[in-house]
């Protein structure tokens, strides 16, 4: 018989958290959650604190996204929890297994007006897979274990628990939690066979692979399926880098050409949302491979939509033994388009303009980034360019905000990335507008010795909004920022360092200094405000 675990609510929670592979907490101080700090402190469990709860949740999300294990944010009652809601919502849209533990005013005098008394559940319920108040210390390990099982079960996502003051401060005991046992969802074999047959029989098939392929540890299976069926692969979100850029089936630039001519489009591990023209690929048949039945689209009817463990489904595609059309000409045709687009990009990335255009920033950055560098995008146009010009070489190296499109992920994601990879380059690409949401958390990074590089595309405007508003109305409001503001000095004031770059020729050495600095370092690049990212739909 295993021994029961004993302790106060914080200690009981920590025992369950550890059993589920949680390895650190991100938080901002509040008395309601002191027992969780006490447990962490006494156990030598790493604790990182931030200057805004949103950053704590984003940091937890970055850990979850990069490491495919639960990330934890601990938020104090009331305002601590409400400040975390955009982070929770992002995690919900991104299917990230994030656990938020909230403090909560005492239950025994609920309704009497305690400090920070509010019921969080109705607020967080719509953006979590599970939200629950745990009323006794004894019940905490069970609740944490159940919440984390839910978070880790495809389709993954965030979960929320809060603990009334007397529950978390009191002592209890419980059976030790066993740890995760997530049974894979088995897809319907007939649907998988139909999908394989459609791809094998297609003249011009295309695969688009997204975040759940990485989250489901199905990258190798994706590659095997693509190679066996000879299908060009495009990626988005955490799918980026699934195939190394030099792989003969890896494509990025020829997407429009590919989707215009494709007769079968396989979308795997990502929703048929605005990023994929809502699943409308003209006459092409759509195969939508999802990690759970809940992820089947309701707004379009794909030819087939196998739902289940992505690794198993993709492995089954890789093992397809039927006849297959030769796709060599199709792949070659796309390669020609890809190479032409790459040549155009290379010219733009080398262009000597004054003011600097974002393309050149990425041209210079590519020269100093290691293959395993983590790049993080937080901004508007500047980040759209990052998506276009940077080519993640490995899976799990690219963090964007995902379909919720929330600005302000920057320093939180950077903290989670740095904690995950103490020895890699961490580079945050920020618009000057986006920088305003989280820059104060440079202080947290400095104090806790978590160096990262920030590159700000400083065009002095909310570019992704200003240009479309002008196009729509002929004027714009609420779209200007202070031009040439010294964001590098903000970082220096917070204990980091940085510099402003106005000339393209100075970019390379500045970036080198940034990666050598060993402290949070911001390269403030004055970019051309007239430059607008070319996009068909400008509403964001
Ligand atoms: C929290 C949040 N607020 C507002 C928006 C709307 N929005 C999307 S992009 C953008 C402009 C971003 O400006 P900046 O970061 O300076 O990048 P730029 O487009 O200028 O390169 C805004 C305001 C959003 N996506 N998220
Ligand atoms: Mg801007």
């Amino acid at each position: 018989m295993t021994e029961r675990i004993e302790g106060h609510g914080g200690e009981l929670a920590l025992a369950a958290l550890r059993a589920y592979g949680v390895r650190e907490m991100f938080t901002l101080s509040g008395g309601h959650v002191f027992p969780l700090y006490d447990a962490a402190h006494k156990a030598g469990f790493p604790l990182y604190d931030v200057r805004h709860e949103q950053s704590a949740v984003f940091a937890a999300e970055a850990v979850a996204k990069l490491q495919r294990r639960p990330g934890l944010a601990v938020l104090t009652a009331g305002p601590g929890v409400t400040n975390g809601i955009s982070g929770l919502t992002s995690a919900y849209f991104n299917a990230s297994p994030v656990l938020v533990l909230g403090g909560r005013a005492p239950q025994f005098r609920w309704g009497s007006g305690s400090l920070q008394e509010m019921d969080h559940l109705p607020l967080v319920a719509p953006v979590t897979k599970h939200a629950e108040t745990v009323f006794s210390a004894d019940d905490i390990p069970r609740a944490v274990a159940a919440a984390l099982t839910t978070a880790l079960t495809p389709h993954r996502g965030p979960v929320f628990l809060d603990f009334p003051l007397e529950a978390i401060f009191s002592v209890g005991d419980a059976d030790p939690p066993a740890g995760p046992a997530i049974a894979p969802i088995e897809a319907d074999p007939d649907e998988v066979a139909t999908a394989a047959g459609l791809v094998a029989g297609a003249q011009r098939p295309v695969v688009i692979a997204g975040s759940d392929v990485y989250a489901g540890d199905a990258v190798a299976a994706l590659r095997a399926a693509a190679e066996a069926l000879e299908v060009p692969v495009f990626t988005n979100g955490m799918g980026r880098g699934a195939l190394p850029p030099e792989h003969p089936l890896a494509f990025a630039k020829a997407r429009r050409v590919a989707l215009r001519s494709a007769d079968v489009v396989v979308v795997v591990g990502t929703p048929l949302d605005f990023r994929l023209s809502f699943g409308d690929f003209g006459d092409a048949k759509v195969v939508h491979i999802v990690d759970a039945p809940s992820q089947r689209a309701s707004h379009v009817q794909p030819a087939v939509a196998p739902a289940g463990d992505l690794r198993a489904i993709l492995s089954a595609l890789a093992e397809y033994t039927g006849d297959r059309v030769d796709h060599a000409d199709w792949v070659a045709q796309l390669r020609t388009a890809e190479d032409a687009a790459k040549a155009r990009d290379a010219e733009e990335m080398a262009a000597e303009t004054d003011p600097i255009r974002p393309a050149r920033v990425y041209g210079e950055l590519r020269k100093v980034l290691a293959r395993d560098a983590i790049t993080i995008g937080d901004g508007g146009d500047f980040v759209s360019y990052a998506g276009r010009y940077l080519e993640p070489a490995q899976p799990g190296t690219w963090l964007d905000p995902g379909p919720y499109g929330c600005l302000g992920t920057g320093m939180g994601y950077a903290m989670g990335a740095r904690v995950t990879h103490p020895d890699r380059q961490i580079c945050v690409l920020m618009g000057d507008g986006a920088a305003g949401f989280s820059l104060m958390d440079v202080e947290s990074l400095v104090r806790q010795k978590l160096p990262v590089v920030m590159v700000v595309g400083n065009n002095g405007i909310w570019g992704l909004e200003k240009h479309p508003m002008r196009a729509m109305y002929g004027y714009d409001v609420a779209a200007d920022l202070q031009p040439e503001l010294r964001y590098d000095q903000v970082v220096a004031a917070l204990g980091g360092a940085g510099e402003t770059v106005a000339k393209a020729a100075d970019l390379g050495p500045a970036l080198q200094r940034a990666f050598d600095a060993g402290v949070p370092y911001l390269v403030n690049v004055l970019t051309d405000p007239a430059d607008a990212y070319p996009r068909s739909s400008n509403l964001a």
Side-chain angles (χ1 to χ4, degrees):
M1 227 190 83
T2 42
E3 270 183 47
R4 289 181 56 92
I5 48 173
E6 283 177 17
H8 60 61
E11 290 167 327
L12 293 170
L14 189 64
L17 292 164
R18 286 186 134 164
Y20 276 75
V22 177
R23 292 210 285 272
E24 68 290 293
M25 86 172 57
F26 299 98
T27 193
L28 193 156
S29 190
H32 290 80
V33 292
F34 279 176
L36 286 159
Y37 300 165
D38 182 57
H41 176 72
K42 288 187 174 141
F45 186 83
L47 182 159
Y48 301 94
D49 67 290
V50 295
R51 303 294 298 257
H52 191 299
E53 285 83 359
Q54 176 164 298
S55 292
V57 183
F58 284 139
E61 201 208 349
V63 160
K65 276 176 145 183
L66 293 170
Q67 299 187 46
R68 300 182 277 222
R69 58 139 173 113
L72 170 68
V74 172
L75 309 181
T76 200
V81 172
T82 52
N83 272 353
I85 283 183
S86 286
L88 265 178
T89 313
S90 291
Y92 192 66
F93 275 68
N94 293 333
S96 303
V98 166
L99 169 62
V100 171
L101 295 181
R104 186 179 172 99
Q107 187 62 27
F108 73 90
R109 57 159 65 104
W110 193 263
S112 326
S114 293
L115 176 71
Q116 296 165 229
E117 178 188 289
M118 83 157 250
D119 184 12
H120 309 121
L121 300 198
L123 272 182
V124 301
V127 293
T128 53
K129 288 184 72 183
H130 177 75
E132 179 185 346
T133 298
V134 188
F135 292 99
S136 80
D138 293 347
D139 199 26
I140 287 177
R142 179 222 44 93
V144 168
L148 287 175
T149 299
T150 300
L152 290 167
T153 300
H155 190 60
R156 301 170 188 81
V159 289
F160 176 89
L161 299 174
D162 62 9
F163 307 127
L165 205 72
E166 69 273 40
I168 192 164
F169 273 86
S170 60
V171 170
D173 66 276
D175 287 327
I182 315 289
I185 302 173
E186 268 179 57
D188 177 341
D190 292 341
E191 290 184 347
V192 177
T194 304
L198 274 172
V199 181
Q203 300 294 323
R204 295 174 306 280
V206 170
V207 165
I208 303 174
S211 298
D212 293 333
V213 172
Y214 179 72
D217 201 5
V219 167
L222 169 74
R223 189 169 166 163
E227 287 172 356
L229 296 167
E230 201 185 13
V231 192
V233 176
F234 296 80
T235 54
N236 72 13
M238 293 297 288
R240 298 192 72 195
L243 268 59
E246 58 278 2
H247 191 287
L249 293 170
F251 290 87
K253 322 270 167 211
R255 200 167 100 163
R256 196 166 299 176
V257 181
L259 292 179
R260 207 168 39 221
S261 323
D263 57 351
V264 171
V265 177
V266 183
V267 176
V268 48
T270 192
L272 300 172
D273 63 12
F274 68 95
R275 295 170 299 175
L276 296 178
S277 52
F278 302 99
D280 179 359
F281 305 112
D283 293 334
K285 291 200 175 95
V286 178
V287 175
H288 193 204
I289 303 177
V290 293
D291 66 0
S294 63
Q295 295 312 295
R296 290 193 172 115
S298 53
H299 59 283
V300 279
Q301 189 62 54
V304 65
D309 184 71
L310 294 185
R311 193 164 15 153
I313 297 173
L314 289 167
S315 299
L317 294 191
E319 282 152 22
Y320 180 76
T321 48
D323 290 344
R324 163 170 89 64
V325 173
D326 183 348
H327 303 138
D329 286 350
W330 166 237
V331 174
Q333 184 191 332
L334 291 185
R335 185 56 62 195
T336 305
E338 180 84 9
D339 288 347
K342 272 194 175 155
R344 282 195 299 276
D345 280 6
E347 269 174 41
E348 287 160 18
M349 282 191 281
E352 188 84 33
T353 60
D354 185 9
I356 300 169
R357 293 220 186 97
R360 180 65 185 268
V361 181
Y362 295 113
E364 297 300 322
L365 199 55
R366 284 172 63 126
K367 296 181 195 162
V368 296
L369 282 179
R371 274 181 82 83
D372 65 356
I374 307 288
T375 46
I376 299 166
D378 181 13
D381 280 356
F382 190 60
V383 172
S384 302
Y385 283 117
R388 171 154 158 196
Y389 294 118
L390 296 181
E391 289 183 329
Q394 297 179 7
T397 59
W398 166 263
L399 285 175
D400 63 31
Y404 193 52
C406 187
L407 295 174
T409 55
M411 291 308 104
Y413 273 14
M415 180 178 271
R418 173 50 80 217
V419 166
T420 297
H421 297 296
D423 302 320
R424 291 201 197 176
Q425 292 174 332
I426 309 288
C427 184
V428 192
L429 310 156
M430 281 193 290
D432 51 338
F437 288 90
S438 77
L439 218 45
M440 195 67 207
D441 260 313
V442 166
E443 190 278 324
S444 315
L445 295 170
V446 168
R447 186 166 37 78
Q448 294 166 101
K449 303 202 170 30
L450 302 168
V452 302
V453 169
M454 294 150 271
V455 179
V456 171
N458 187 349
N459 53 7
I461 54 174
W462 298 98
L464 189 146
E465 306 297 354
K466 183 176 176 96
H467 294 296
M469 189 166 179
R470 287 200 82 81
M472 214 180 275
Y473 291 93
Y475 72 89
D476 66 89
V477 294
D480 288 331
L481 301 161
Q482 271 186 53
E484 305 191 4
L485 196 73
R486 296 294 302 272
Y487 295 96
D488 52 323
Q489 290 184 350
V490 174
V491 169
L494 296 171
E499 59 190 287
T500 289
V501 175
K503 296 263 170 295
D506 297 335
L507 272 168
L511 292 170
Q512 199 60 60
R513 279 190 288 276
F515 283 108
D516 292 341
V519 292
Y521 195 103
L522 189 145
V523 180
N524 184 37
V525 187
L526 304 182
T527 55
D528 188 354
D531 185 283
Y533 187 84
R535 59 182 84 237
S536 43
S537 163
N538 271 325
L539 278 186

